[in-house]
Amino acid sequence: QKPEPLPPQMPFPSFFKLPNINQLVYAGSIALGASIVGTVFTVAHHRWQLNREKKHIQIPGEMVVLECGTKVFVHQTNPGAKQAVVIINGFAANYLLAKKWQTLISNKVSLGHERVNVVIYDRPGYGFSDPLASTPKDFYAMATDLEELLGKVLPQDTEVHILAASMGSLIAWCFVQQIQSEKPENQCVKVRTVFSVDPPFLKNARQINRDMGLMGAVVAKIRYLYEWGFMRWLWMIGLFSPQPEQKDIPENEKHLHSAAVWRYLKGRRGGYFTTFAVEGHLMTSVDWNGVEKALVHLGEQKEAKTHVLLHEQWMPGMQAQYQSEWKERAENIQKHLGQGRTTFLPETNHMHFVEHPEELVEQYEKFLVPKQGGAV
Protein backbone atom coordinates (compact mmCIF):
# COMPACT_ATOMS: atom_id res chain seq x y z
CA GLN A 1 0.00 0.00 0.00
CA LYS A 2 1.37 3.37 -1.03
CA PRO A 3 1.82 5.97 1.76
CA GLU A 4 -0.54 8.87 1.64
CA PRO A 5 1.02 12.03 0.23
CA LEU A 6 1.86 14.77 2.75
CA PRO A 7 -0.46 17.78 2.70
CA PRO A 8 1.01 20.83 1.01
CA GLN A 9 2.81 23.16 3.46
CA MET A 10 1.26 26.53 4.06
CA PRO A 11 3.57 29.32 2.92
CA PHE A 12 4.72 31.80 5.59
CA PRO A 13 3.27 35.31 5.41
CA SER A 14 5.56 37.75 3.64
CA PHE A 15 6.59 39.47 6.85
CA PHE A 16 7.98 36.16 8.20
CA LYS A 17 10.33 35.66 5.30
CA LEU A 18 14.00 35.94 6.15
CA PRO A 19 15.62 38.90 4.39
CA ASN A 20 18.21 38.15 1.76
CA ILE A 21 21.72 39.55 1.86
CA ASN A 22 20.87 42.54 -0.32
CA GLN A 23 18.04 43.56 1.98
CA LEU A 24 20.32 43.25 5.05
CA VAL A 25 22.99 45.41 3.42
CA TYR A 26 20.37 47.98 2.45
CA ALA A 27 18.90 48.12 5.99
CA GLY A 28 22.34 48.25 7.55
CA SER A 29 23.37 51.13 5.28
CA ILE A 30 20.28 53.11 6.26
CA ALA A 31 20.90 52.47 10.00
CA LEU A 32 24.60 53.41 9.70
CA GLY A 33 23.79 56.55 7.76
CA ALA A 34 21.15 57.59 10.28
CA SER A 35 23.59 56.96 13.14
CA ILE A 36 26.32 59.07 11.53
CA VAL A 37 23.90 61.92 10.77
CA GLY A 38 22.44 61.74 14.30
CA THR A 39 25.86 61.71 15.93
CA VAL A 40 27.18 64.62 13.87
CA PHE A 41 24.01 66.60 14.56
CA THR A 42 23.97 65.96 18.32
CA VAL A 43 27.69 66.71 18.70
CA ALA A 44 27.30 69.93 16.71
CA HIS A 45 24.25 70.86 18.78
CA HIS A 46 26.20 70.14 21.97
CA ARG A 47 29.03 72.47 20.91
CA TRP A 48 26.57 75.19 19.92
CA GLN A 49 24.78 74.81 23.24
CA LEU A 50 28.05 75.08 25.18
CA ASN A 51 28.97 78.34 23.45
CA ARG A 52 25.47 79.67 24.07
CA GLU A 53 25.55 78.72 27.75
CA LYS A 54 28.98 80.28 28.31
CA LYS A 55 27.52 83.63 27.26
CA HIS A 56 24.52 83.43 29.60
CA ILE A 57 25.72 81.53 32.67
CA GLN A 58 27.30 83.63 35.36
CA ILE A 59 29.53 81.42 37.51
CA PRO A 60 28.64 82.35 41.12
CA GLY A 61 32.17 82.03 42.47
CA GLU A 62 35.77 81.84 41.31
CA MET A 63 37.82 79.40 39.27
CA VAL A 64 41.12 78.35 40.86
CA VAL A 65 43.83 76.78 38.70
CA LEU A 66 45.63 73.81 40.29
CA GLU A 67 49.20 72.84 39.44
CA CYS A 68 47.94 70.16 37.06
CA GLY A 69 46.17 72.89 35.06
CA THR A 70 42.63 71.93 36.09
CA LYS A 71 40.29 74.81 36.93
CA VAL A 72 38.29 74.13 40.10
CA PHE A 73 35.16 76.07 41.07
CA VAL A 74 35.01 77.55 44.60
CA HIS A 75 32.29 79.59 46.27
CA GLN A 76 32.89 81.50 49.54
CA THR A 77 30.43 83.46 51.67
CA ASN A 78 32.91 85.61 53.61
CA PRO A 79 36.38 85.54 52.02
CA GLY A 80 39.25 86.47 54.32
CA ALA A 81 37.56 85.39 57.55
CA LYS A 82 39.76 83.75 60.17
CA GLN A 83 37.46 80.75 60.50
CA ALA A 84 36.02 78.76 57.62
CA VAL A 85 33.57 75.88 57.24
CA VAL A 86 34.66 73.76 54.27
CA ILE A 87 31.89 71.59 52.77
CA ILE A 88 33.13 68.46 51.00
CA ASN A 89 30.41 66.98 48.80
CA GLY A 90 29.68 63.30 48.47
CA PHE A 91 29.66 60.95 45.50
CA ALA A 92 28.39 62.50 42.25
CA ALA A 93 27.36 65.81 43.90
CA ASN A 94 28.08 69.42 43.02
CA TYR A 95 27.71 72.95 44.38
CA LEU A 96 23.96 73.15 43.82
CA LEU A 97 23.29 70.14 46.05
CA ALA A 98 24.98 71.71 49.09
CA LYS A 99 23.97 75.31 48.36
CA LYS A 100 21.19 75.21 50.99
CA TRP A 101 23.62 73.97 53.64
CA GLN A 102 25.99 76.81 52.80
CA THR A 103 23.27 79.46 52.99
CA LEU A 104 21.80 78.17 56.27
CA ILE A 105 25.18 77.81 57.98
CA SER A 106 26.27 81.25 56.81
CA ASN A 107 23.07 82.81 58.20
CA LYS A 108 22.79 80.85 61.46
CA VAL A 109 26.29 79.92 62.65
CA SER A 110 28.82 82.41 63.98
CA LEU A 111 32.11 81.69 65.73
CA GLY A 112 33.20 84.50 68.01
CA HIS A 113 32.37 87.96 66.71
CA GLU A 114 33.00 87.22 63.05
CA ARG A 115 30.83 85.62 60.41
CA VAL A 116 32.24 82.29 59.38
CA ASN A 117 33.35 81.81 55.78
CA VAL A 118 31.44 78.83 54.31
CA VAL A 119 33.34 77.31 51.39
CA ILE A 120 32.02 74.87 48.77
CA TYR A 121 34.07 73.52 45.90
CA ASP A 122 33.28 71.23 42.97
CA ARG A 123 35.64 68.30 42.56
CA PRO A 124 37.12 68.07 39.04
CA GLY A 125 34.54 66.58 36.71
CA TYR A 126 31.52 68.00 38.52
CA GLY A 127 29.62 71.28 38.46
CA PHE A 128 31.56 74.24 37.13
CA SER A 129 34.98 72.59 37.54
CA ASP A 130 36.97 71.23 34.62
CA PRO A 131 36.92 67.51 33.83
CA LEU A 132 39.53 65.30 35.46
CA ALA A 133 43.09 65.99 34.34
CA SER A 134 44.16 62.55 35.58
CA THR A 135 42.50 59.62 37.29
CA PRO A 136 42.80 59.87 41.11
CA LYS A 137 44.43 56.74 42.56
CA ASP A 138 42.81 57.06 45.97
CA PHE A 139 41.21 59.48 48.41
CA TYR A 140 44.64 60.82 49.39
CA ALA A 141 45.01 62.15 45.83
CA MET A 142 41.70 64.01 46.25
CA ALA A 143 42.91 65.26 49.66
CA THR A 144 46.05 66.63 47.98
CA ASP A 145 43.92 68.60 45.51
CA LEU A 146 41.86 69.97 48.41
CA GLU A 147 44.99 71.01 50.32
CA GLU A 148 46.34 72.87 47.30
CA LEU A 149 42.97 74.53 46.73
CA LEU A 150 42.58 75.73 50.32
CA GLY A 151 46.15 77.00 50.31
CA LYS A 152 45.24 79.23 47.37
CA VAL A 153 41.87 80.59 48.55
CA LEU A 154 42.20 80.83 52.36
CA PRO A 155 44.59 83.05 54.34
CA GLN A 156 47.51 81.34 56.08
CA ASP A 157 46.60 79.76 59.45
CA THR A 158 42.86 79.92 58.81
CA GLU A 159 41.02 77.73 61.33
CA VAL A 160 39.04 75.22 59.27
CA HIS A 161 35.93 73.30 60.27
CA ILE A 162 35.16 70.47 57.86
CA LEU A 163 31.60 69.41 57.07
CA ALA A 164 31.81 66.32 54.88
CA ALA A 165 28.93 64.32 53.41
CA SER A 166 28.99 60.65 52.42
CA MET A 167 32.09 59.87 50.33
CA GLY A 168 33.40 63.35 51.11
CA SER A 169 33.99 62.09 54.65
CA LEU A 170 36.64 59.67 53.39
CA ILE A 171 38.38 62.55 51.61
CA ALA A 172 38.16 64.61 54.83
CA TRP A 173 39.72 61.87 56.99
CA CYS A 174 42.61 61.44 54.55
CA PHE A 175 43.01 65.23 54.32
CA VAL A 176 43.32 65.61 58.12
CA GLN A 177 45.87 62.82 58.41
CA GLN A 178 47.84 64.15 55.46
CA ILE A 179 47.95 67.77 56.55
CA GLN A 180 48.78 66.95 60.18
CA SER A 181 51.70 64.78 59.10
CA GLU A 182 53.40 67.90 57.75
CA LYS A 183 55.46 70.34 59.76
CA PRO A 184 53.34 73.08 61.38
CA GLU A 185 54.98 75.80 59.28
CA ASN A 186 54.03 73.92 56.09
CA GLN A 187 50.36 73.50 56.97
CA CYS A 188 48.21 75.82 54.87
CA VAL A 189 45.31 75.69 57.37
CA LYS A 190 44.59 74.47 60.90
CA VAL A 191 41.83 71.87 61.11
CA ARG A 192 39.77 72.46 64.26
CA THR A 193 36.73 70.22 63.75
CA VAL A 194 35.57 67.39 61.46
CA PHE A 195 31.85 66.65 61.13
CA SER A 196 31.05 63.65 58.93
CA VAL A 197 27.57 62.81 57.66
CA ASP A 198 26.93 59.10 57.04
CA PRO A 199 30.36 58.09 55.67
CA PRO A 200 30.32 54.94 53.48
CA PHE A 201 33.13 53.18 55.35
CA LEU A 202 32.44 49.92 53.51
CA LYS A 203 35.63 47.99 54.24
CA ASN A 204 33.80 44.73 54.95
CA ALA A 205 30.61 45.34 52.97
CA ARG A 206 31.04 42.77 50.21
CA GLN A 207 27.54 42.90 48.69
CA ILE A 208 27.33 46.71 48.55
CA ASN A 209 30.83 47.03 47.10
CA ARG A 210 30.10 44.35 44.50
CA ASP A 211 26.93 46.14 43.42
CA MET A 212 28.71 49.50 43.35
CA GLY A 213 31.35 47.91 41.14
CA LEU A 214 28.62 46.83 38.73
CA MET A 215 27.17 50.35 38.84
CA GLY A 216 30.59 51.84 38.09
CA ALA A 217 30.99 49.52 35.10
CA VAL A 218 27.53 50.40 33.76
CA VAL A 219 28.17 54.13 34.14
CA ALA A 220 31.51 53.75 32.40
CA LYS A 221 29.60 52.40 29.40
CA ILE A 222 27.19 55.33 29.66
CA ARG A 223 30.18 57.64 29.53
CA TYR A 224 31.24 56.23 26.17
CA LEU A 225 27.69 56.44 24.86
CA TYR A 226 27.63 60.06 25.95
CA GLU A 227 30.88 60.94 24.24
CA TRP A 228 29.68 59.10 21.13
CA GLY A 229 26.63 61.35 20.99
CA PHE A 230 23.68 59.19 22.03
CA MET A 231 23.40 60.67 25.54
CA ARG A 232 23.60 64.17 24.10
CA TRP A 233 20.59 63.31 21.97
CA LEU A 234 18.68 62.09 25.05
CA TRP A 235 19.64 65.30 26.85
CA MET A 236 18.50 67.39 23.96
CA ILE A 237 15.01 65.90 23.98
CA GLY A 238 14.78 66.30 27.74
CA LEU A 239 15.06 62.72 29.03
CA PHE A 240 18.07 63.59 31.20
CA SER A 241 17.26 67.11 32.39
CA PRO A 242 16.60 66.87 36.16
CA GLN A 243 14.84 69.86 37.65
CA PRO A 244 15.16 71.09 41.24
CA GLU A 245 12.08 72.22 43.12
CA GLN A 246 11.45 75.76 41.88
CA LYS A 247 9.66 76.71 45.10
CA ASP A 248 12.90 76.10 47.05
CA ILE A 249 15.01 78.44 44.91
CA PRO A 250 15.39 82.14 45.80
CA GLU A 251 14.14 84.42 43.05
CA ASN A 252 17.57 85.99 42.48
CA GLU A 253 19.18 82.56 41.98
CA LYS A 254 16.74 81.01 39.53
CA HIS A 255 19.06 81.75 36.63
CA LEU A 256 21.39 79.12 38.13
CA HIS A 257 18.78 76.38 38.12
CA SER A 258 17.37 76.34 34.62
CA ALA A 259 17.37 73.16 32.56
CA ALA A 260 20.22 74.56 30.48
CA VAL A 261 22.37 75.09 33.58
CA TRP A 262 21.67 71.59 34.86
CA ARG A 263 22.62 70.27 31.45
CA TYR A 264 25.80 72.35 31.63
CA LEU A 265 26.68 71.21 35.14
CA LYS A 266 25.96 67.54 34.52
CA GLY A 267 26.99 67.08 30.94
CA ARG A 268 29.63 69.38 29.56
CA ARG A 269 32.43 67.62 27.71
CA GLY A 270 31.49 64.28 29.26
CA GLY A 271 33.08 65.35 32.54
CA TYR A 272 30.22 64.21 34.77
CA PHE A 273 30.01 60.69 33.38
CA THR A 274 33.78 60.32 33.33
CA THR A 275 34.08 61.27 36.99
CA PHE A 276 31.02 59.27 38.00
CA ALA A 277 32.56 56.14 36.50
CA VAL A 278 36.00 56.86 38.01
CA GLU A 279 34.64 57.44 41.51
CA GLY A 280 32.30 54.44 41.24
CA HIS A 281 35.32 52.29 40.44
CA LEU A 282 37.34 53.98 43.19
CA MET A 283 34.77 52.96 45.79
CA THR A 284 35.25 49.32 44.82
CA SER A 285 39.04 49.30 44.45
CA VAL A 286 39.93 51.71 47.26
CA ASP A 287 42.68 50.91 49.73
CA TRP A 288 40.38 50.48 52.72
CA ASN A 289 43.32 49.87 55.03
CA GLY A 290 44.62 53.34 54.16
CA VAL A 291 41.23 54.91 54.85
CA GLU A 292 41.02 52.98 58.13
CA LYS A 293 44.41 54.36 59.18
CA ALA A 294 43.09 57.87 58.53
CA LEU A 295 40.02 57.12 60.67
CA VAL A 296 42.20 55.67 63.46
CA HIS A 297 44.36 58.80 63.31
CA LEU A 298 41.24 60.93 63.63
CA GLY A 299 40.11 58.91 66.64
CA GLU A 300 43.47 59.14 68.42
CA GLN A 301 44.49 62.75 67.95
CA LYS A 302 43.00 65.54 70.06
CA GLU A 303 43.76 68.57 67.92
CA ALA A 304 40.60 68.31 65.83
CA LYS A 305 37.24 67.69 67.46
CA THR A 306 35.39 64.96 65.56
CA HIS A 307 31.80 63.78 65.26
CA VAL A 308 30.00 61.42 62.88
CA LEU A 309 26.28 61.19 62.13
CA LEU A 310 25.16 57.71 61.09
CA HIS A 311 21.90 56.91 59.31
CA GLU A 312 20.11 53.62 59.85
CA GLN A 313 19.68 52.85 56.14
CA TRP A 314 21.51 53.55 52.93
CA MET A 315 18.40 53.77 50.79
CA PRO A 316 14.74 53.20 51.76
CA GLY A 317 13.62 49.59 51.47
CA MET A 318 17.09 48.23 50.79
CA GLN A 319 17.58 44.48 50.91
CA ALA A 320 18.45 42.68 54.15
CA GLN A 321 22.05 42.05 53.06
CA TYR A 322 22.58 45.80 52.61
CA GLN A 323 20.88 46.50 55.93
CA SER A 324 23.24 44.26 57.92
CA GLU A 325 26.35 45.55 56.13
CA TRP A 326 25.30 49.18 56.61
CA LYS A 327 24.84 48.50 60.33
CA GLU A 328 28.22 46.78 60.52
CA ARG A 329 29.78 49.88 58.88
CA ALA A 330 28.35 52.04 61.70
CA GLU A 331 29.72 49.68 64.34
CA ASN A 332 33.21 49.82 62.78
CA ILE A 333 33.20 53.62 62.82
CA GLN A 334 32.00 53.70 66.43
CA LYS A 335 34.74 51.25 67.40
CA HIS A 336 37.46 53.54 66.05
CA LEU A 337 36.04 56.85 67.24
CA GLY A 338 34.32 55.86 70.48
CA GLN A 339 30.64 55.99 71.40
CA GLY A 340 30.74 59.61 72.50
CA ARG A 341 31.73 60.88 69.05
CA THR A 342 29.05 59.23 66.96
CA THR A 343 25.28 59.76 66.77
CA PHE A 344 23.06 57.03 65.32
CA LEU A 345 19.88 58.36 63.72
CA PRO A 346 17.16 55.69 63.51
CA GLU A 347 14.54 55.69 60.73
CA THR A 348 16.67 57.86 58.45
CA ASN A 349 18.44 57.07 55.17
CA HIS A 350 21.51 58.27 53.33
CA MET A 351 19.70 61.13 51.56
CA HIS A 352 17.89 62.42 54.67
CA PHE A 353 19.81 65.68 55.02
CA VAL A 354 19.58 66.46 51.32
CA GLU A 355 15.81 66.42 51.75
CA HIS A 356 15.91 68.11 55.19
CA PRO A 357 18.86 70.55 55.21
CA GLU A 358 17.50 72.46 58.21
CA GLU A 359 17.91 69.37 60.40
CA LEU A 360 21.52 68.97 59.31
CA VAL A 361 22.37 72.58 60.13
CA GLU A 362 20.66 72.21 63.52
CA GLN A 363 22.80 69.16 64.32
CA TYR A 364 25.92 70.89 63.03
CA GLU A 365 25.29 74.03 65.07
CA LYS A 366 24.96 71.95 68.26
CA PHE A 367 28.31 70.36 67.50
CA LEU A 368 30.13 73.50 66.40
CA VAL A 369 28.77 75.91 69.03
CA PRO A 370 27.93 73.96 72.23
CA LYS A 371 25.49 75.95 74.37
CA GLN A 372 27.31 75.42 77.60
CA GLY A 373 30.80 76.24 76.36
CA GLY A 374 30.42 78.79 73.60
CA ALA A 375 32.26 78.46 70.31
CA VAL A 376 34.63 75.57 69.70
Side-chain angles (χ1 to χ4, degrees):
Q1 186 178 357
K2 293 182 179 180
E4 294 183 6
L6 294 174
Q9 294 184 356
M10 295 294 293
F12 283 105
S14 59
F15 54 82
F16 279 130
K17 289 183 179 179
L18 293 176
N20 58 40
I21 188 66
N22 292 331
Q23 291 172 324
L24 288 174
V25 170
Y26 180 71
S29 301
I30 292 177
L32 179 61
S35 299
I36 293 174
V37 171
T39 301
V40 170
F41 174 73
T42 53
V43 171
H45 179 272
H46 180 72
R47 300 299 177 195
W48 171 78
Q49 191 80 341
L50 281 181
N51 292 330
R52 176 172 164 269
E53 288 163 359
K54 285 178 182 177
K55 294 178 182 178
H56 296 286
I57 292 176
Q58 298 177 351
I59 295 180
E62 58 182 312
M63 303 297 290
V64 178
V65 183
L66 302 182
E67 284 186 10
C68 62
T70 301
K71 292 180 182 179
V72 175
F73 167 78
V74 184
H75 185 270
Q76 305 181 69
T77 59
N78 188 23
K82 295 179 181 178
Q83 300 204 60
V85 173
V86 177
I87 298 176
I88 306 178
N89 264 320
F91 178 67
N94 62 36
Y95 158 76
L96 293 180
L97 189 67
K99 181 69 171 67
K100 278 189 178 179
W101 299 353
Q102 184 190 43
T103 303
L104 289 170
I105 293 170
S106 178
N107 293 337
K108 292 188 66 175
V109 178
S110 61
L111 298 172
H113 301 289
E114 185 181 44
R115 283 180 57 229
V116 68
N117 179 22
V118 188
V119 182
I120 303 180
Y121 77 104
D122 284 334
R123 288 195 303 281
Y126 294 121
F128 294 102
S129 295
D130 281 350
L132 289 162
S134 60
T135 302
K137 297 179 180 178
D138 51 31
F139 293 112
Y140 285 97
M142 295 181 179
T144 300
D145 287 345
L146 176 59
E147 183 177 358
E148 181 184 351
L149 178 68
L150 295 183
K152 289 178 181 261
V153 301
L154 298 180
Q156 185 75 20
D157 296 328
T158 299
E159 295 185 349
V160 165
H161 307 270
I162 296 177
L163 169 58
S166 187
M167 191 192 81
S169 300
L170 309 183
I171 301 173
W173 300 348
C174 295
F175 171 75
V176 172
Q177 184 190 31
Q178 187 166 285
I179 200 169
Q180 291 186 348
S181 66
E182 300 172 357
K183 295 180 180 179
E185 60 269 20
N186 294 333
Q187 296 179 11
C188 61
V189 295
K190 306 297 180 185
V191 180
R192 293 289 305 278
T193 65
V194 180
F195 191 81
S196 297
V197 181
D198 213 32
F201 183 60
L202 303 173
K203 180 181 179 182
N204 301 317
R206 292 178 294 277
Q207 182 66 38
I208 298 177
N209 281 326
R210 187 159 52 245
D211 289 353
M212 288 188 70
L214 176 63
M215 179 183 69
V218 169
V219 175
K221 300 301 181 186
I222 293 176
R223 166 201 167 186
Y224 292 116
L225 285 174
Y226 177 86
E227 293 175 348
W228 176 75
F230 179 65
M231 292 299 292
R232 294 189 182 121
W233 177 74
L234 293 179
W235 228 294
M236 194 172 65
I237 63 175
L239 295 183
F240 280 82
S241 296
Q243 289 291 320
E245 290 289 335
Q246 292 293 318
K247 61 183 177 59
D248 296 330
I249 302 171
E251 192 64 37
N252 61 346
E253 292 184 8
K254 287 193 175 180
H255 69 282
L256 290 175
H257 297 261
S258 66
V261 174
W262 270 78
R263 179 185 173 282
Y264 179 84
L265 293 177
K266 296 275 187 171
R268 67 186 176 121
R269 287 180 282 175
Y272 177 75
F273 286 114
T274 303
T275 313
F276 197 97
V278 166
E279 291 186 351
H281 175 71
L282 183 61
M283 286 297 294
T284 62
S285 60
V286 65
D287 176 15
W288 286 113
N289 291 328
V291 176
E292 186 176 33
K293 288 179 182 177
L295 178 60
V296 169
H297 169 83
L298 206 60
E300 290 176 347
Q301 59 93 39
K302 299 179 180 178
E303 184 177 339
K305 181 182 174 184
T306 305
H307 199 83
V308 178
L309 290 182
L310 297 164
H311 295 308
E312 183 178 12
Q313 299 184 44
W314 181 14
M315 293 298 172
M318 65 183 181
Q319 53 187 279
Q321 177 80 15
Y322 277 16
Q323 184 75 15
S324 62
E325 291 187 349
W326 202 246
K327 185 178 180 181
E328 183 181 353
R329 161 213 67 122
E331 293 170 352
N332 287 336
I333 293 173
Q334 289 173 330
K335 178 180 70 175
H336 291 303
L337 287 180
Q339 294 290 335
R341 292 196 281 180
T342 59
T343 299
F344 188 76
L345 301 174
E347 299 181 3
T348 58
N349 63 68
H350 196 59
M351 300 301 291
H352 180 74
F353 288 132
V354 175
E355 299 166 356
H356 306 281
E358 297 82 4
E359 292 184 27
L360 171 65
V361 174
E362 182 181 344
Q363 293 272 2
Y364 188 54
E365 189 177 18
K366 289 178 183 177
F367 162 76
L368 202 59
V369 190
K371 291 182 179 180
Q372 68 276 17
V376 174

